[in-house]
Amino acid sequence: NIIAVIYKVENRELPLKNKKVLITAGPTQEPVDTVRFFTNYSSGKMGYALAEVAKNLGAQVTLVSGPVDLDVLPGVETIKISSADEMFEAVTSRFDEQDIVIKSAAVADYRPKDVHDKKLKKQGHDITVELERTTDILSTLGERKNHQYLVGFAAETDQHLEHGKRKLQKKNLDAIVINDISNPNIGFKSDDNEVNILTKTGQEYAISTRSKKEIAQELLTLIMKDMMGEAK
Amino acid sequence: NIIAVIYKVENRELPLKNKKVLITAGPTQEPVDTVRFFTNYSSGKMGYALAEVAKNLGAQVTLVSGPVDLDVLPGVETIKISSADEMFEAVTSRFDEQDIVIKSAAVADYRPKDVHDKKLKKQGHDITVELERTTDILSTLGERKNHQYLVGFAAETDQHLEHGKRKLQKKNLDAIVINDISNPNIGFKSDDNEVNILTKTGQEYAISTRSKKEIAQELLTLIMKDMMGEAK
């Protein structure tokens, strides 16, 4: 790929060589019973694009992926999970040794309180499903982090910049990527996206509509710049 | 394919020539808000196998498919839907002119009562989602049918034969295909299945584990036999 070629031509080391990068991708599935579950429209494309670009930049990449319809990436250690609980376990158990963690997965905030081990029979009347909060993985990582550069994603339908900025601070992130999901042409299943990126160091970037692969390249470039700035 | 070749070699007409067959496949998605939804593990493989086999037997096939990860079948008119409501509309509007209708889709029985047009914000405490029944498509077709041969599917975790037989009668079906979903090695995402088929005319078949394509061939053969028997 182009980035790798450029660095090779210039006879430099790949910029993320010897760096460990963990990326999460896709939705989670939260079972109601043996056949039904709650989930969301995340396609995993943004996370897979990030994993591929990070690998091409020389990183040792771990991709923790929910159920998606995407090909496995060669050279990327991929861990498949299904529920928010499994995502929590897979990410927190590998967090300490990472240099960069990018949580692009759309992990369920809520899961059914009772999971039935048989398929629920139909009843004539309405029913209610009680949902409880899942453990907030991003907050957990924000509290635990020491040297890691931690990036979160926010999908917002209104006041997306304000909501995103609040999330950046509250969860002790180094950067946040904000999707304005009120625009139906971008995000989720689409190959394209349009995002705003804010960093803890106060930088703000608006990235206009382009492919998720290009956004992945921009984001990783910004992360590397920001990490070098902090190291000064 | 083999069946088509056999019929051609024998210089006979394809057995479903001039017959209209409507098949439903896959899950439905029932939105909670703009990003979250309820769904189920149906892969659509059984329905797509039925559509392919019916087409190869000479039928004019309409496939009404929920969101699945399968290739479009050449020569099969495919209508993509997402929710139980859309499935109802697509199937009932095409029902009258069909000769055979096989409802292999796993249509949601329940959908969230209120669909929020913004992404719900997280709240600290538990929440409840109120669900209401979707319209029972199979029962609607059972009431409305005149000449159509109507086949339903049942996915049961216990007493599957008894539950299936009751559904056959209650919904005025001509045949029912019963999956015992307590066995994790078959059904849903699997390429294989093991089913029991009961007909209104009192025939019972147990089909041991084999590919969904082979089960599709068996089922369509049984339907054709049963239809000819009734015509006598």
Side-chain angles (χ1 to χ4, degrees):
Chain A
N1 67 83
I2 294 170
I3 296 182
V5 168
I6 290 171
Y7 281 100
K8 273 182 191 154
V9 167
E10 295 189 357
N11 209 13
R12 282 203 272 162
E13 294 261 293
L14 284 169
L16 289 178
K17 199 184 163 187
N18 298 324
K19 294 287 181 195
K20 291 195 172 183
V21 178
L22 186 145
I23 292 159
T24 69
T28 64
Q29 296 178 343
E30 308 303 324
V32 179
D33 62 18
T34 48
V35 300
R36 300 174 176 96
F37 58 94
F38 254 126
T39 188
N40 63 66
Y41 294 109
S42 172
S43 66
K45 286 176 185 170
M46 190 67 235
Y48 276 61
L50 282 163
E52 192 176 0
V53 172
K55 188 209 71 178
N56 291 339
L57 288 166
Q60 188 179 326
V61 181
T62 304
L63 176 62
V64 182
S65 173
V68 295
D69 179 19
L70 297 171
D71 293 333
V72 169
L73 299 167
V76 169
E77 187 198 7
T78 302
I79 294 144
K80 291 272 193 175
I81 58 87
S82 172
S83 67
D85 256 8
E86 290 166 13
M87 176 69 87
F88 180 88
E89 177 57 31
V91 172
T92 54
S93 66
R94 288 166 179 85
F95 183 64
D96 290 345
E97 68 259 32
Q98 303 301 324
D99 297 294
I100 300 171
V101 173
I102 308 176
K103 289 218 50 352
S104 72
V107 177
D109 305 323
Y110 290 94
R111 79 177 141 238
K113 231 170 166 170
D114 304 306
V115 181
H116 300 265
D117 61 357
K118 287 184 177 180
K119 185 185 172 192
L120 291 170
K121 297 298 292 175
K122 269 180 279 196
Q123 296 156 298
H125 45 81
D126 297 350
I127 56 172
T128 56
V129 175
E130 280 203 86
L131 303 176
E132 62 185 7
R133 286 290 304 273
T134 57
T135 309
D136 188 327
I137 303 175
L138 204 49
S139 292
T140 305
L141 301 183
E143 282 166 24
R144 192 192 290 185
K145 87 186 168 83
N146 35 60
H147 67 287
Q148 295 90 348
Y149 192 95
L150 181 60
V151 184
F153 273 65
E156 306 287 348
T157 29
D158 55 355
Q159 296 179 286
H160 56 285
L161 286 178
E162 293 75 2
H163 283 141
K165 193 171 247 167
R166 211 175 308 149
K167 190 170 176 181
L168 171 77
Q169 289 161 351
K170 197 175 147 203
K171 303 204 173 180
N172 192 27
L173 310 179
D174 295 287
I176 191 158
V177 181
I178 305 165
N179 288 283
D180 173 6
I181 55 170
S182 65
N183 181 344
N185 298 320
I186 54 169
F188 285 108
K189 295 175 197 174
S190 171
D191 287 326
D192 292 337
N193 209 353
E194 178 186 318
V195 300
N196 286 275
I197 303 174
L198 309 180
T199 71
K200 192 182 180 176
T201 55
Q203 296 161 82
E204 298 196 15
Y205 307 89
I207 303 184
S208 57
T209 307
R210 62 199 70 185
S211 75
K212 288 182 176 174
K213 187 85 179 277
E214 287 170 301
I215 289 181
Q217 280 163 338
E218 297 251 20
L219 177 60
L220 281 159
T221 304
L222 293 175
I223 291 170
M224 290 187 290
K225 275 205 243 172
D226 202 35
M227 288 176 85
M228 283 188 286
E230 278 188 3
K232 265 182 217 161
Chain B
N1 69 84
I2 294 170
I3 296 180
V5 168
I6 290 170
Y7 282 100
K8 273 181 193 153
V9 166
E10 295 189 359
N11 209 15
R12 280 202 274 163
E13 293 261 294
L14 284 169
L16 289 178
K17 200 186 163 187
N18 299 324
K19 295 288 182 195
K20 291 193 173 186
V21 178
L22 187 146
I23 292 159
T24 70
T28 64
Q29 297 178 344
E30 308 302 327
V32 179
D33 62 18
T34 49
V35 300
R36 302 173 175 96
F37 59 94
F38 263 117
T39 189
N40 64 65
Y41 295 108
S42 171
S43 67
K45 285 177 186 170
M46 190 67 235
Y48 275 61
L50 282 163
E52 192 177 0
V53 171
K55 188 209 70 176
N56 291 339
L57 289 166
Q60 188 179 326
V61 181
T62 304
L63 176 63
V64 182
S65 172
V68 296
D69 179 18
L70 298 171
D71 293 332
V72 169
L73 298 168
V76 169
E77 187 197 8
T78 302
I79 293 145
K80 290 272 193 174
I81 58 88
S82 171
S83 67
D85 255 7
E86 290 167 13
M87 176 69 88
F88 179 87
E89 176 56 31
V91 173
T92 53
S93 65
R94 288 166 180 84
F95 184 62
D96 291 344
E97 68 260 31
Q98 303 300 325
D99 298 294
I100 300 171
V101 173
I102 308 176
K103 288 214 56 349
S104 73
V107 178
D109 304 323
Y110 290 94
R111 77 176 143 239
K113 232 171 167 169
D114 304 306
V115 181
H116 299 267
D117 61 358
K118 288 183 176 181
K119 185 185 171 192
L120 291 171
K121 299 297 294 177
K122 269 180 279 196
Q123 296 156 297
H125 44 83
D126 296 351
I127 56 172
T128 56
V129 176
E130 280 202 89
L131 302 176
E132 62 185 7
R133 284 291 301 273
T134 57
T135 309
D136 189 326
I137 304 175
L138 204 49
S139 292
T140 305
L141 301 182
E143 282 166 24
R144 191 190 292 186
K145 87 186 167 83
N146 35 60
H147 66 286
Q148 295 89 350
Y149 192 95
L150 181 60
V151 184
F153 273 65
E156 306 287 349
T157 28
D158 56 353
Q159 296 180 286
H160 55 286
L161 287 178
E162 292 76 2
H163 282 140
K165 194 172 246 167
R166 211 175 308 152
K167 190 170 175 179
L168 172 77
Q169 290 160 351
K170 198 175 147 204
K171 304 205 173 181
N172 191 28
L173 310 180
D174 295 288
I176 192 159
V177 182
I178 305 164
N179 287 285
D180 173 7
I181 55 171
S182 65
N183 181 344
N185 298 321
I186 54 168
F188 284 108
K189 295 176 197 174
S190 171
D191 287 324
D192 292 337
N193 208 353
E194 179 186 315
V195 299
N196 287 274
I197 302 174
L198 309 180
T199 71
K200 192 182 179 177
T201 55
Q203 295 162 80
E204 298 197 13
Y205 307 89
I207 303 184
S208 58
T209 307
R210 64 198 68 185
S211 76
K212 287 181 176 174
K213 187 85 179 278
E214 288 169 300
I215 288 180
Q217 281 163 339
E218 297 252 20
L219 176 60
L220 281 159
T221 304
L222 293 175
I223 290 171
M224 291 187 290
K225 274 205 243 172
D226 202 34
M227 286 175 87
M228 283 188 287
E230 277 188 2
K232 265 182 220 164

